[in-house]
């Protein structure tokens, strides 16, 4: 799969580690920055990566910031994005199976490297279950296309 990776300065080091980890799993990785530890604004990265996933340039995305909260808020403003902030592998698996999360957000100041790798592996290894879960996502997608959501 084509996986987009993005981080702010707080997530920069973890992103570097995950870039190799995800590539070693056989995926094509697109690194959307940041490219050094200089301070940046997480919404710029989160919205750009969210757009790349929503428009089909990439299949899935992983965003990293200090807590993962800002990145998840920013990415979820992009229509079609279902970004899940996960701090454990079980939630990550369900995020894919039940919520078809197309972006995973991680908090580099909250979780360690090994936990981050376990979360990413669980998320990439899971599949969307469809059925009743798809119906619920349709409700969200329908709302996204209403005037009220603009
Ligand atoms: C940056 O200091 C920090 O606010 C950011 O990485 C993230 O945690 C925001 O949610």
């Amino acid at each position: 799969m084509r996986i987009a990776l993005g981080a702010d300065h707080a997530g920069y080091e973890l992103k570097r580690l995950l870039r190799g980890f995800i590539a070693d799993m056989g995926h094509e990785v697109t690194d959307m920055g940041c490219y050094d530890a200089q301070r940046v604004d997480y919404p710029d990265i989160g919205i750009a990566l969210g757009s790349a996933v929503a428009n089909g340039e990439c299949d899935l995305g992983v965003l990293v910031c200090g807590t993962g909260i800002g990145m998840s808020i920013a990415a979820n403003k992009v229509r079609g994005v279902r970004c899940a902030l996960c701090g454990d592998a079980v939630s990550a698996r369900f995020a894919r199976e039940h919520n078809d999360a197309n972006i995973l957000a991680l908090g580099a100041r909250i979780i360690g490297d090994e936990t981050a790798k376990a979360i990413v592996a669980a998320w990439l290894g899971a599949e969307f279950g469809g059925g009743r879960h798809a119906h619920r996502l349709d409700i969200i997608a329908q709302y996204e296309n209403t005037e009220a959501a603009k």
Side-chain angles (χ1 to χ4, degrees), residues 5 10 17 22 29 37-38 55 73 77 89 94 107 110 130 146-147:
L5 263 182
L17 179 132
I22 294 170
V29 177
Q38 293 287 318
N55 70 24
I73 291 171
K77 296 297 180 190
F94 279 122
I110 309 297
T146 61
E147 282 297 316

Side-chain angles (χ1 to χ4, degrees), residues 8-11 39-40 42 64-71 109:
D8 71 355
H9 51 286
R39 201 173 292 270
V40 292
Y42 64 80
V64 192
C65 65
T67 60
I69 296 169
M71 283 294 196
R109 292 174 175 155

